[in-house]
Each structure stands twice: as C-alpha cells, then as structure tokens.
Amino acid sequence: KNITVTNPHHCAQRAENILNTWQQMYNDGILDFHPSIKSWNTVMDAYTKWKDPSVNPTRSEKLFRQLKSLRQSRMTEARPNIVTYNTLMKSLSKVSPKSCLSLLGAMEMNPDICNPNVVSYCTAIHGLANCKSKSNKIALEAESILHRMISRGIKPNTYAYSCVIDAWKGCSEFVEDA
C-alpha cells in the first residue's frame, strides 16, 4: 500500500511509531536485536525539524526519558551518547534556551552523563543568539559560554564565534564587562 507523507510532523511520528514497534518486538522476544542508539537519535532529530516549537522539545524529551527508562529496566542496551544529548539540546534551544543551558550545565558537572563537546557549546550559544528578546544579558551569557568552553580545553570553531557575534548584533546598548 502506497502512503504519501507530505508533512514533516507525520514523518517524525511515523519514524517514532516504527522505533516503538521495533522496541516492543524486542521486549516481547520476537526480535533478538534492539533499536540502536543511532535509531533513537535519528527519531529525536526528526522532531527538531518540526516547525511547531511547542511540540518539538516535548517529543524529543519524551523519547529521551523513554530511552533512559528502558535502559534502567535493562530493556535495551542502547545508551544515550553525546549525539543524543546534543540532539536534545538542539530541540530545547529552539524553545527554551534556559533548559538547554541547564542540560549543558548538568553535562559539565557530571561527566558520567556525557562530557560536552564543541557541538554542545555551539548549540547552547546558538540558542541564545536566536532568542527573541535580544538583550545584553543574553549576549553576555553567550560570550560566557564561549569562555567556559575554552577554559575546559575545547577549541571553539568558526560557528561558535559567529553565534556569539550574532548574539551581540541584536543588542541595543553595550554594557562593559567588569
């Protein structure tokens, strides 16, 4: 049967349905292989493509919690990795840069979760740079994240610097950092 899917929302939902069916078949002993972390990450990333920002992080967070729950109950061997965390950060940054920054902070404080990398920091900086309210506080926070990144021994790339510059470009006044 041919099914035409024209809406990216439906594509992400269908991908999630397939992932859940696969996981259930593994749980029921029908399959002897579980969804890989790449499969989980791919479905989470599909939700970052959604245009409706109110749904995007909700679905990504739901999948993330589902994966962690399955892992804790030993129903999967798939373990969240840096791509998983960065994908969740990307999703959160579109709606709530504050939540994205909280996740980055948790990653920095607890290396058992996952050590942040250049993509993690760039995602957080980009989220701030794209905030609807452009204030000096936001730009200073973006610049602070760049400095944290450097102090942790992670080399910024062109994108990191460009995002900090973008955060500053929308500010109406300049406040000297003391």
Side-chain angles (χ1 to χ4, degrees):
K1 179 179 175 182
N2 290 338
I3 299 173
T4 303
V5 180
T6 57
N7 185 328
H9 303 136
H10 296 142
C11 294
Q13 288 172 330
R14 288 184 66 88
E16 182 180 356
N17 290 342
I18 291 166
L19 178 76
N20 286 330
T21 299
W22 180 2
Q23 182 65 49
Q24 190 58 53
M25 291 176 78
Y26 174 76
N27 294 350
D28 294 342
I30 298 167
L31 296 175
D32 62 353
F33 54 94
H34 59 84
S36 66
I37 192 59
K38 184 178 187 306
S39 299
W40 286 93
N41 292 343
T42 300
V43 176
M44 285 176 64
D45 189 54
Y47 282 116
T48 69
K49 312 280 190 268
W50 280 36
K51 300 297 180 207
D52 182 355
S54 65
V55 175
N56 169 343
T58 306
R59 301 301 286 221
S60 294
E61 284 179 292
K62 175 188 163 272
L63 282 167
F64 182 76
R65 282 191 307 274
Q66 180 182 350
L67 173 59
K68 287 184 78 170
S69 174
L70 287 167
R71 178 110 175 117
Q72 287 173 343
S73 63
R74 303 194 190 290
M75 298 297 279
T76 185
E77 293 175 26
R79 180 176 186 208
N81 61 20
I82 190 64
V83 175
T84 314
Y85 282 92
N86 287 344
T87 302
L88 181 58
M89 286 180 66
K90 179 180 174 183
S91 182
L92 292 170
S93 74
K94 293 181 177 191
V95 177
S96 174
K98 188 175 185 176
S99 297
C100 177
L101 293 176
S102 293
L103 182 55
L104 177 63
M107 291 166 66
E108 289 174 328
M109 299 300 288
N110 187 354
D112 289 340
I113 291 178
C114 203
N115 279 318
N117 64 10
V118 69
V119 174
S120 311
Y121 287 98
C122 287
T123 300
I125 295 168
H126 181 261
L128 288 168
N130 286 328
C131 274
K132 291 194 184 340
S133 64
K134 294 285 190 170
S135 72
N136 293 343
K137 185 177 177 184
I138 299 284
L140 284 169
E141 181 72 22
E143 193 171 327
S144 170
I145 292 169
L146 179 69
H147 294 297
R148 274 177 24 207
M149 177 181 176
I150 294 167
S151 72
R152 292 179 60 89
I154 298 172
K155 291 168 80 172
N157 56 19
T158 305
Y159 188 68
Y161 284 104
S162 296
C163 287
V164 173
I165 290 168
D166 282 347
W168 277 110
K169 81 176 178 190
C171 294
S172 57
E173 62 183 67
F174 180 80
V175 175
E176 198 58 47
D177 194 17

